[in-house]
Amino acid sequence: MKKQLKAGYKGYKSYDYLTPGDDYKVFKLATEDHFFGKEEIVPLNDEQEAFAQHIVDTYPMISLHDHPILYPHEINETFDYAREARGFTAFRALAESTWDCVFDNMFDGCSVITSKHGWKWDDIIYDIGMRRCDLAHQDFVVPCTSVEDIYRAKKEGKVAWVTTIEGAAILENEVDRVDILYGYGVRLMGLVYSESNGLGSGLKENGDGGLTYFGAQVVERMNKIGMTIDAAHVGDKTTLDIIDCSKKPIFISHTGARALWNSKRLKSDEIMKACAAKGGVIGIEAAPHTTITEKNREHSLESYMEHFEYVKDLIGIDHVTFGPDTLYGDHVGLHHAFAHHLSIKAAFTKNGPDGKQEFPEVEYVRGLENATEASYNILRWLVKHGYSEEDIAKVMGGNTIRVLKETW
């Protein structure tokens, strides 16, 4: 199983149709391979390599949550970069990955085009429009609005690109904006980011009032038009209310097990069981300093997969997948630079009276630094640890497709 470019990639780079310096401000961007150092690939023997390649050749490989854009080499330039509204898709890096489909959450909380704090309607619309304009000038990434697009992208050696939004504060009190976003190609939306909004409570809040009346209207509208619901950043009671209210299964696209690390950012056993009981799927998160454990406090592939196995054992192999939440650039530096916008301190705080986090800060998550590396190492770890072909096919994409067939 060797890293190689997908057949459908012909070398396009973002905004090739424009003139750098004249049409947009030029930033030195992170490389499309590794940002800090040597790439780390899980070693396999020849038989395992052949098995891993068979999996990649045969089954759709889906990342349920990522940000596959190139961030500035100097991460503090991200504010200026985001104001330009032109995120550069990491086309070549995606072409080197094993992903056939990526749920792209774009700039989201870093989208500060018209405001200081982001999460505004105009910011999100500009972000979507600019990215889709870029995609319209190339033919490797396929804007994805149906399950058939995923299968087609895989067959053609391309990547299906799902437009995704992490939080619905942008709806304000307008339920029809759900329809507008659907018209712009959005097929997955989180109802609440870490801060509470008109729909319900976010995970950073000390109190949780649950799903609001307007929130229930949005759930109903998303069910009707075929937009999948995400509850990754939502408070506990509001998450349970969403699961109960929705007539269709939901995703919790990027999280981990609170039982392994008692953080607000992770989900309780009760929530994960409720999600699975409704047919939903949990995606395991790999953003720095999230899926660590008491056993593995230094964030790495091992701590990440410890969360995967806990969730798998708790709710079953049919209800877990991977939402790595990676990017191409200095992810830890981005968290520092946008700590307020992304509610880093409040969201990552431990539950309980002391609220202290005690773990070593890493420069990056070893083995999971970006979407390309994650795509190889998650699969290779599963192969190395003896998972069956059927189970690997489920967690690498099959479970996600099952939910999409019910919700799209």
Side-chain angles (χ1 to χ4, degrees), residues 255-291:
T255 189
R258 191 178 297 167
L260 295 182
W261 187 252
N262 189 27
S263 166
K264 290 182 177 181
R265 184 64 192 81
L266 309 178
K267 296 298 186 185
S268 68
D269 287 6
E270 178 188 12
I271 289 172
M272 291 190 288
K273 287 178 180 178
C275 180
K278 204 73 173 277
V281 169
I282 309 289
I284 306 301
E285 156 93 66
H289 311 120
T290 53
T291 42

Side-chain angles (χ1 to χ4, degrees), residues 185-254:
V186 176
R187 290 297 181 270
L188 175 66
M189 182 166 65
L191 295 195
V192 185
Y193 195 66
S194 295
E195 300 84 4
S196 294
N197 60 27
L199 289 75
S201 295
L203 57 79
K204 86 176 204 181
E205 309 290 355
N206 291 324
D208 188 336
L211 190 69
T212 65
Y213 182 83
F214 178 66
Q217 286 183 301
V218 171
V219 168
E220 181 181 11
R221 182 63 60 86
M222 291 175 74
N223 282 172
K224 284 180 177 178
I225 69 171
M227 186 185 294
T228 313
I229 295 166
D230 187 11
H233 281 269
V234 182
D236 289 359
K237 185 178 186 306
T238 302
T239 301
L240 291 170
D241 287 350
I242 291 169
I243 294 167
D244 182 61
C245 180
S246 179
K247 293 180 180 179
K248 297 181 180 181
I250 74 163
F251 288 130
I252 301 178
S253 66
H254 56 301

Side-chain angles (χ1 to χ4, degrees), residues 12-286:
Y12 179 82
K13 295 181 180 179
S14 277
Y15 310 107
D16 266 357
Y17 53 96
L18 298 178
T19 304
D22 290 339
D23 294 320
Y24 62 86
K25 184 177 180 179
V26 177
F27 295 85
K28 180 182 178 181
L29 301 178
T31 61
E32 292 197 54
D33 40 36
H34 219 65
F35 190 80
F36 284 104
K38 184 179 179 181
E39 185 175 53
E40 299 185 34
I41 296 295
V42 173
L44 300 177
N45 62 35
D46 290 346
E47 182 180 357
Q48 291 169 333
E49 290 281 5
F51 180 48
Q53 187 63 58
H54 167 72
I55 296 291
V56 170
D57 292 343
T58 307
Y59 301 100
M61 311 283 284
I62 302 174
S63 168
L64 189 56
H65 186 99
D66 261 313
H67 301 264
I69 64 174
L70 298 170
Y71 277 77
H73 179 78
E74 297 297 331
I75 200 65
N76 286 329
E77 293 181 352
T78 301
F79 289 94
D80 292 332
Y81 179 57
R83 287 190 196 101
E84 294 290 311
R86 287 191 175 88
F88 278 63
T89 304
F91 288 109
R92 183 182 63 78
L94 285 177
E96 283 189 328
S97 78
T98 68
W99 300 126
D100 301 301
C101 173
V102 174
F103 283 69
D104 188 339
N105 293 260
M106 301 178 290
F107 277 126
D108 272 0
C110 302
S111 191
V112 288
I113 300 160
T114 68
S115 66
K116 291 182 179 180
H117 302 291
W119 298 115
K120 303 298 189 294
W121 176 255
D122 285 353
D123 292 339
I124 299 301
I125 295 302
Y126 284 12
D127 191 14
I128 294 172
M130 287 291 196
R131 291 291 299 287
R132 293 185 73 89
C133 179
D134 185 30
L135 266 59
H137 288 81
Q138 55 80 59
D139 62 359
F140 169 62
V141 167
V142 178
C144 177
T145 57
S146 69
V147 172
E148 289 72 25
D149 287 334
I150 300 174
Y151 289 123
R152 177 168 66 89
K154 181 173 185 64
K155 182 179 179 180
E156 296 177 358
K158 299 179 180 181
V159 172
W161 182 82
V162 184
T163 312
T164 309
I165 299 173
E166 288 198 60
I170 58 173
L171 300 181
E172 297 178 323
N173 62 343
E174 304 288 347
V175 71
D176 282 350
R177 285 187 176 180
V178 176
D179 305 55
I180 295 169
L181 292 170
Y182 185 91
Y184 288 149
V186 176
R187 290 297 181 270
L188 175 66
M189 182 166 65
L191 295 195
V192 185
Y193 195 66
S194 295
E195 300 84 4
S196 294
N197 60 27
L199 289 75
S201 295
L203 57 79
K204 86 176 204 181
E205 309 290 355
N206 291 324
D208 188 336
L211 190 69
T212 65
Y213 182 83
F214 178 66
Q217 286 183 301
V218 171
V219 168
E220 181 181 11
R221 182 63 60 86
M222 291 175 74
N223 282 172
K224 284 180 177 178
I225 69 171
M227 186 185 294
T228 313
I229 295 166
D230 187 11
H233 281 269
V234 182
D236 289 359
K237 185 178 186 306
T238 302
T239 301
L240 291 170
D241 287 350
I242 291 169
I243 294 167
D244 182 61
C245 180
S246 179
K247 293 180 180 179
K248 297 181 180 181
I250 74 163
F251 288 130
I252 301 178
S253 66
H254 56 301
T255 189
R258 191 178 297 167
L260 295 182
W261 187 252
N262 189 27
S263 166
K264 290 182 177 181
R265 184 64 192 81
L266 309 178
K267 296 298 186 185
S268 68
D269 287 6
E270 178 188 12
I271 289 172
M272 291 190 288
K273 287 178 180 178
C275 180
K278 204 73 173 277
V281 169
I282 309 289
I284 306 301
E285 156 93 66

